[in-house]
Amino acid sequence: MNTNISLQQLGWQSFYQQQLSLDEFENLQCGRIVAHHRSEYIVQLEQQQIKLPITASLPIMTAGDWLLLTAEYSFSRLLERKSLISRKAAGTKVNEQFIAANIDSLFIVSSLNQDFNLSRIERYLALAHQAQITPVIILTKLDLCDDAAPLIAQVQALEPYLAVEAVNGLDSASCSALQAYCRLGNTVSVVGSSGVGKSSLINTLLGESTQATAGIREDDAKGRHTTTARSIHFMPSGAILLDTPGMRELQLPACEAGVKQTFADIEEFAQQCRFSNCQHENEPGCAVVKAINQGDLDTRRLENYRKLLREQAHNADSLQQKRAKDKALSKMYRQVQTGARQQKKGF
């Protein structure tokens, strides 16, 4: 990566500029996290890159974050985010994992092979809507699909104005339509499951082989992990591309608003139900059930809507309980430390 780059090329916008005081503008350095590794952040300044070790004293940050550093490259503060994509950590951990920050457009990548999954796309859409990021659905492996039109139509039907592009990720001409979303200074993040062709697509958009690629398994068309860290790359168009590792499991954090926006059609039908607390099952006067019976709503979509609402509510409660527990524990530690200091002073 070029180590001599302007803030504008890094995606600096007035939203961040307005957060700086005059003293900060004159005495501190602005930098953006361009890579997030297990033990350190890589921060791009205008003249150089530095490594910032991850310590307990730092706030939790991720690729795309803007921060201020002193002249000695010590952390000063994190700037308010324009947007943030996160998920509940995979497995049994009760933690929120940040995926990417300060994104303008979200490329949601899905393939046109056996891994095609509308419910998974809806998960990513909920994340994008919650963060108020413009989503773009990119359906890859067009060259391997005999008839893509029905699948494209299914995705387009999810939202009336949803941007949907079907491409061969290995062909730059096929991917040319994506340039409309890659304007100078815009930050684009690419998300998707492992094996959907993210790395191949990124290599084509960048015009170089920066990302390793791996084939898919013949038996189930599922892929292998090829990206293991979050990182920023610069596109020939002047846009900033933020890659993320492929995710086999995307557990939604608290994002009720994002889920409801993703399923706006169901929400609209629900407004017509006889009862305000209708569960859309067997209640009389249920407009949602009526829509399904009339063929105006897909049963799969309703089931996924219910599933995602339950999941995000459960994860939101779990995360809230963990934060409350951590807060109480920190308060106890402070009380113990204060008592020890007072005892040492003879109070």
Side-chain angles (χ1 to χ4, degrees), residues 86-97:
S86 65
R87 66 167 178 171
K88 177 186 172 292
T92 58
K93 289 184 178 180
V94 185
N95 287 314
E96 185 176 9
Q97 182 182 32

Side-chain angles (χ1 to χ4, degrees), residues 153-338:
Q154 289 180 46
V155 177
Q156 191 66 72
L158 296 179
E159 294 180 15
Y161 301 107
L162 182 62
V164 182
E165 303 287 350
V167 303
N168 171 5
L170 298 172
D171 181 7
S172 57
S174 178
C175 296
S176 60
L178 303 181
Q179 296 301 327
Y181 311 102
C182 303
R183 300 185 300 275
L184 176 66
N186 265 26
T187 300
V188 176
S189 183
V190 185
V191 295
S193 302
S194 302
V196 297
K198 279 172 62 260
S199 296
S200 297
L201 176 67
I202 288 170
N203 286 340
T204 300
L205 291 175
L206 296 177
E208 55 188 31
S209 296
T210 58
Q211 300 293 83
T213 61
I216 59 175
R217 299 195 298 261
E218 296 291 341
D219 56 346
D220 58 4
K222 294 186 181 298
R224 307 176 181 88
H225 288 284
T226 54
T227 304
T228 57
R230 298 165 185 82
S231 57
I232 277 179
H233 308 275
F234 296 92
M235 300 179 64
S237 64
I240 300 97
L241 190 149
L242 199 161
D243 186 23
T244 63
M247 291 176 281
R248 296 212 185 278
E249 179 183 2
L250 177 63
Q251 282 279 319
L252 294 182
C255 62
E256 182 178 359
V259 172
K260 289 187 174 182
Q261 185 176 345
T262 300
F263 296 89
D265 53 344
I266 297 179
E267 288 289 314
E268 187 174 348
F269 283 124
Q271 294 296 319
Q272 304 168 32
C273 290
R274 181 184 300 178
F275 304 108
S276 60
N277 62 344
C278 183
Q279 299 300 303
H280 318 308
E281 293 175 348
N282 299 311
E283 297 90 344
C286 176
V288 174
V289 172
K290 180 181 178 181
I292 289 178
N293 292 336
Q294 291 180 342
D296 296 327
L297 185 63
D298 184 26
T299 302
R300 178 209 64 79
R301 188 160 166 80
L302 177 60
E303 290 175 351
N304 199 37
Y305 167 74
R306 288 170 172 159
K307 178 181 179 181
L308 296 188
L309 276 182
R310 288 194 303 268
E311 179 182 305
Q312 70 83 33
H314 172 76
N315 290 339
D317 289 342
S318 299
L319 290 167
Q320 186 175 8
Q321 291 170 6
K322 181 181 184 298
R323 283 192 287 267
K325 183 178 179 181
D326 290 345
K327 185 176 180 181
L329 196 59
S330 297
K331 182 178 180 180
M332 184 192 73
Y333 286 154
R334 288 195 299 271
Q335 290 174 341
V336 171
Q337 290 172 346
T338 300

